[in-house]
Amino acid sequence: MSGFFIGIDVGGTNLKAGLTDETGRLLAAARRPLDFRGAEAFAADLADLAAEVLSAAGAAPGDAEGVGIGLPGAVSGGEVLYTTNIPLERTDLAALFRRRLDLPVLLGNDADCAAVGEYFQGAGRGLRDFVVLTLGTGLGAGIILDGRLRGGESSSEAGHMVLHAGGEPCPCGRRGCWEQYASATALIRRTEAAMSAHPESALRRLAEEAGGVDGRTPFLAAEAGDETALAVCRAYVEELAEGTASLINILRPEAVAFGGGVAGAPEHLLLEPLRRRIGELCFSRHGGRATRILRAELGNDAGVIGAALLGRVI
Amino acid sequence: MSGFFIGIDVGGTNLKAGLTDETGRLLAAARRPLDFRGAEAFAADLADLAAEVLSAAGAAPGDAEGVGIGLPGAVSGGEVLYTTNIPLERTDLAALFRRRLDLPVLLGNDADCAAVGEYFQGAGRGLRDFVVLTLGTGLGAGIILDGRLRGGESSSEAGHMVLHAGGEPCPCGRRGCWEQYASATALIRRTEAAMSAHPESALRRLAEEAGGVDGRTPFLAAEAGDETALAVCRAYVEELAEGTASLINILRPEAVAFGGGVAGAPEHLLLEPLRRRIGELCFSRHGGRATRILRAELGNDAGVIGAALLGRVI
């Protein structure tokens, strides 16, 4: 046997692994809590998870083409430059992994892996030029052009395109980055500000019931007809549309898919108005192909599948 | 003989043609004024120019691999979708050309052709990921990633990335497009506004001597120590740096080269401060490669050379 691919997604609280075939079909999966006890122990945990999905499918290490590992951070070759959730700065994770399990190892940014997963098994199937925007704590972008990932050291930081020059300060050092207006964090901030300004809004009650505001709160309240929440959703769609239209003008992809929890909002409150507004904003008056606006399809599996198939697009 | 490539650059007032070898070395050149008398006559003029550079090098049509034509506008396959200088909407220019001279024809946007020319023979030699920004009437972008041009229907309109959301109206229909702040036209507008606000500035005298403001005026006055002009140049560099840093964050190219008349400004007033500011603004705190900021090298030849070699990067 051969032709198996192992993908591992290093999340904020969990490690998830999957075994796929060459098309990214998930054949086995495993997970364990992230319990960081140093780089070597961490690499050993990853190797154990890889061995676990292999044995779950009745396969041996020799049956696997390699392992892809997706992390929230930046990578360069087999080295982790930094991650946002664990102290792995300037660590040769590939070498540490291979001490435990000697397979080819590729590292990738988590937003890149999500895009690769969607490209092979989700919203991007059959496309060549494809972008996935992940609306989460930050605004992650994974960009595949002409069937190749803009990854590794040239991984995209599209969330740090400035949309409001001189606007909100961003941890990256600039002011007015798109991420400060279009991430789930930005939506939550906007919702909280609206709640303070409009204490009569249904937002307050919904937030109290849920134990706090999250990316669903404004959409739930808007569904219930709350005007304050509707205004929050509209303003958020506008920010998302402006940045997406800029990205489309630059890259002209065949499709952009939105992932992350916020992308699960009701179609008529998010994707529909987003499509309409992006259509108005894009530079396409003179013909040329229009970019399709999609919802990501794979949810949490995208990262694992994409990590497994990193080698096919790098 | 074979291995010749023909490039034609359709400019605002002139048609320029060149014959190159496969590396883009210019072996012969010809030009004539643009005298538009309908699509068929236009195609015949282009074919005549192509024949002229062939015969100047002692070559026959059969010695040429093909013809590339660069136009200010949008193309799709062999069709011109529109141009900004001549009425060629939805015209199958390749077919018209081939009635006169039966060679493979490729069409390209002029900013794309400039980037391809610089890629083979200018500032981008030896690179794989390379962007050329042309500072002219508009802000043209040509993007080469992994050795392939983002061209044709997916040609970049990076000038229509919004930098100042809600800002200056742009003919593209949006507000706050980068082009409205960073093109040569924008620089001239800013210079004229500064002249009105500061009639004591040396700008006025320089403009009168030159018969008007152009993209060199503020740099000439700044060289002479004029404070108003210095402020204009600094503000322009800031706009250019902000948008370029966004583009670098998205694409992570190895280098960005600036072309167009404005790019010829004194190094210490344009490229030096631009490099410093872009370095501050880019998302690179955690390592990864830095993007080099260069001046385009080929001037007006870039378009002809790039048109000739379009087929090598598409």
Side-chain angles (χ1 to χ4, degrees), chain B residues 260-292:
Chain B
V262 169
E267 187 95 2
H268 70 101
L269 290 174
L270 186 71
L271 276 195
E272 270 176 31
L274 196 54
R275 273 190 199 109
R276 192 169 54 239
R277 193 68 184 120
I278 289 172
E280 290 165 2
L281 294 173
C282 278
F283 194 95
S284 63
R285 290 162 304 157
H286 302 285
R289 73 182 178 203
T291 299
R292 284 186 295 148

Side-chain angles (χ1 to χ4, degrees), chain B residues 226-289:
Chain B
D226 184 72
E227 283 298 330
T228 302
L230 272 166
V232 167
C233 294
R234 279 192 208 108
Y236 179 71
V237 163
E238 184 65 19
E239 300 290 358
L240 208 48
E242 281 281 2
T244 305
S246 290
L247 210 53
I248 290 172
N249 283 349
I250 296 166
L251 298 171
R252 301 295 189 98
E254 292 165 272
V256 175
F258 290 89
V262 169
E267 187 95 2
H268 70 101
L269 290 174
L270 186 71
L271 276 195
E272 270 176 31
L274 196 54
R275 273 190 199 109
R276 192 169 54 239
R277 193 68 184 120
I278 289 172
E280 290 165 2
L281 294 173
C282 278
F283 194 95
S284 63
R285 290 162 304 157
H286 302 285
R289 73 182 178 203

Side-chain angles (χ1 to χ4, degrees), chain A residues 154-181:
Chain A
S154 55
S155 193
S156 183
E157 291 288 350
H160 301 280
M161 159 177 70
V162 164
L163 176 60
H164 294 269
E168 296 292 325
C170 181
C172 85
R174 302 182 78 178
R175 298 188 77 98
C177 284
W178 187 28
E179 177 169 288
Q180 294 303 317
Y181 300 84

Side-chain angles (χ1 to χ4, degrees), chain B residues 191-243:
Chain B
T191 305
E192 289 171 339
M195 268 169 55
S196 297
H198 300 276
E200 77 288 3
S201 153
L203 285 168
R204 184 172 293 271
R205 182 180 50 76
L206 280 164
E208 275 165 9
E209 283 171 18
V213 174
D214 66 22
R216 285 164 305 186
T217 314
F219 294 105
L220 284 169
E223 282 265 84
D226 184 72
E227 283 298 330
T228 302
L230 272 166
V232 167
C233 294
R234 279 192 208 108
Y236 179 71
V237 163
E238 184 65 19
E239 300 290 358
L240 208 48
E242 281 281 2

